[in-house]
Amino acid sequence: MVEIATIGTFLVAAIASLFMAWAIGAGSSGSTPFAPAVGANAISVMRAGFLVGLLGFAGAVLQGANVSEAVGAELIGGVTLNAEAATIALLIAAVLVALGVFAGYPIATAFTVTGAVIGVGLAMGGDPAWPKYTEIATLWILTPFVGGGLAYAIARTLRAEPVSEETLIVVLAAFVGALVANIEFAILGPEEAGGASIAQVAGGWLPGPTIAGTAAASIAIAAAWALAIGFDLRQGTERGERHFLLVLGGLVAFSAGGSQVGLAVGPLIPLSGDVGLPLPALLLGGGFGLLLGSWTGAPRMIKAISQDYSSLGPRRSIAALIPSFIIAQTAVLYGIPVSFNEIIVSAIIGSGYAAAGAGGGVSASKMGYTVLAWIGSLAGSIVVSYVGFVVVFSLIG
């Protein structure tokens, strides 16, 4: 039988986790996915907030396990987070993110939570997990270059004259369709395998080797996406581009839920076994917190990002969202906490510079403040959580 004290401490940590999930939903996962679509006038701010909440919830439940387990068990070695440490880390990170939301600046949630967990883990006497830090740092450093570079290349290609814009959009739709066919979902495969992709499941129904079936299913799904977008473009190029943009925003919102929920519920994983709560239940709770945050707090940040960073049209928005989706799913696959603010902002800058003019409408001062906020998010959260844990336990002792 579970002791009352154990249940009580877990509930305190769970409340802190819910607060963290709300802050994430109001900030990075709720504000960034549809910001380019809002900037392109493809959807209103309030509708974007409503949709991103639902899609983020779905992503949290279906793809949230990898990052959750990484945050809960792979950021520090030699110790396991207790209820007090998890609560301190979550509260400090949530307060910092919430301050960013209300101040109108996108605090990097992944940096903040990662730093907070590392800070309390070190204060508990744990060892740095250098291999995981190397993996995380590699993705964080590459994100601006890969995301911005791909967005720039796609935007420039869409402006090129030799190939029609409609043809290029159809090709991009086929590419995105192939990606969607091969991302993994928890409900499509055994839990020990981490799930399976739509192409793998569909390919298993076909005769012949599994690899050949998966490839055939991927091609078929990509062709279906191309045909659907191509038909829509025939009804009007601008109409088709806006619909494709909304689809991309939805995919990024789904991916945001799959990654960002781990930042909220990951620290609870070491504690959940004591109360018999499985990971899917934690993901449901975290997804609900993301949903509440997206519906109540995200519109403010959606407006700030879409209007302050760049004046985007449909083509540049499409160019920004495709690499964002790719990077987000890479992070989910490898269980790496990633900042959606960093992903989207980098892609917006890349697509912005592809436009006529030296800045493409990008605010240099806003970018400078944002980069400083990212750096401060990591360093500040490590220091504050380390000191906070030491102070709290010195007072208790």
Side-chain angles (χ1 to χ4, degrees):
M1 183 175 179
V2 182
E3 297 181 358
I4 299 297
T6 301
I7 296 176
T9 53
F10 179 82
L11 287 177
V12 173
I15 293 172
S17 174
L18 184 63
F19 179 35
M20 185 72 237
W22 176 89
I24 293 172
S28 58
S29 76
S31 63
T32 52
F34 277 103
V38 173
N41 296 318
I43 189 172
S44 69
V45 171
M46 297 307 296
R47 286 184 179 180
F50 176 76
L51 288 177
V52 79
L54 296 177
L55 292 167
F57 176 84
V61 174
L62 297 176
Q63 286 196 310
N66 283 356
V67 176
S68 298
E69 291 170 348
V71 172
E74 299 178 18
L75 294 181
I76 205 75
V79 297
T80 299
L81 295 184
N82 55 31
E84 294 81 5
T87 303
I88 292 171
L90 287 168
L91 282 175
I92 289 174
V95 168
L96 292 175
V97 172
L99 288 174
V101 170
F102 292 114
Y105 285 94
I107 298 297
T109 309
F111 293 6
T112 305
V113 175
T114 300
V117 172
I118 292 173
V120 296
L122 293 175
M124 291 178 65
D127 302 317
W130 294 116
K132 190 64 178 180
Y133 300 164
T134 301
E135 190 178 77
I136 293 171
T138 299
L139 182 63
W140 287 358
I141 293 171
L142 288 178
T143 289
F145 301 100
V146 175
L150 284 176
Y152 177 86
I154 294 172
R156 290 291 296 178
T157 303
L158 287 173
R159 291 170 57 85
E161 297 296 332
V163 182
S164 70
E165 183 177 326
E166 291 79 6
T167 300
L168 289 172
I169 293 293
V170 170
V171 171
L172 290 173
F175 175 68
V176 173
L179 290 177
V180 172
N182 286 280
I183 63 177
E184 293 184 349
F185 298 92
I187 62 173
L188 295 182
E191 183 177 350
E192 59 273 13
S197 69
I198 297 172
Q200 287 174 326
V201 174
W205 298 338
L206 301 175
T210 303
I211 295 178
T214 300
S218 300
I219 293 172
I221 294 171
W225 275 65
L227 289 173
I229 295 299
F231 177 80
D232 202 18
L233 287 168
R234 288 181 177 273
Q235 314 305 311
T237 300
E238 185 175 350
R239 164 195 165 101
E241 288 179 345
R242 291 184 185 279
H243 288 170
F244 185 38
L245 177 58
L246 290 176
V247 170
L248 290 173
L251 291 173
V252 174
F254 178 86
S255 303
S259 174
Q260 302 292 278
V261 71
L263 303 175
V265 305
L268 294 180
I269 290 180
L271 318 177
S272 60
D274 296 336
V275 295
L277 199 62
L279 179 57
L282 293 180
L283 296 177
L284 279 171
F288 177 71
L290 295 180
L291 178 70
L292 287 180
S294 296
W295 284 359
T296 59
R300 174 187 174 90
M301 286 297 292
I302 292 175
K303 183 177 180 181
I305 293 177
S306 64
Q307 294 183 2
D308 292 347
Y309 285 97
S310 184
S311 299
L312 298 177
R315 289 180 299 181
R316 286 163 59 192
S317 297
I318 289 171
L321 286 180
I322 290 177
S324 299
F325 174 57
I326 295 172
I327 295 173
Q329 281 298 323
T330 300
V332 170
L333 177 64
Y334 290 101
I336 300 175
V338 65
S339 167
F340 267 76
N341 289 324
E342 182 187 15
I343 292 174
I344 293 289
V345 170
S346 300
I348 288 176
I349 294 174
S351 65
Y353 270 87
V362 178
S363 170
S365 61
K366 187 73 172 182
M367 291 303 101
Y369 288 130
T370 300
V371 171
L372 289 176
W374 291 343
I375 297 172
S377 298
L378 179 62
S381 59
I382 292 176
V383 173
V384 172
S385 17
Y386 184 96
V387 173
F389 183 88
V390 172
V391 169
V392 168
F393 274 83
S394 64
L395 293 174
I396 294 176

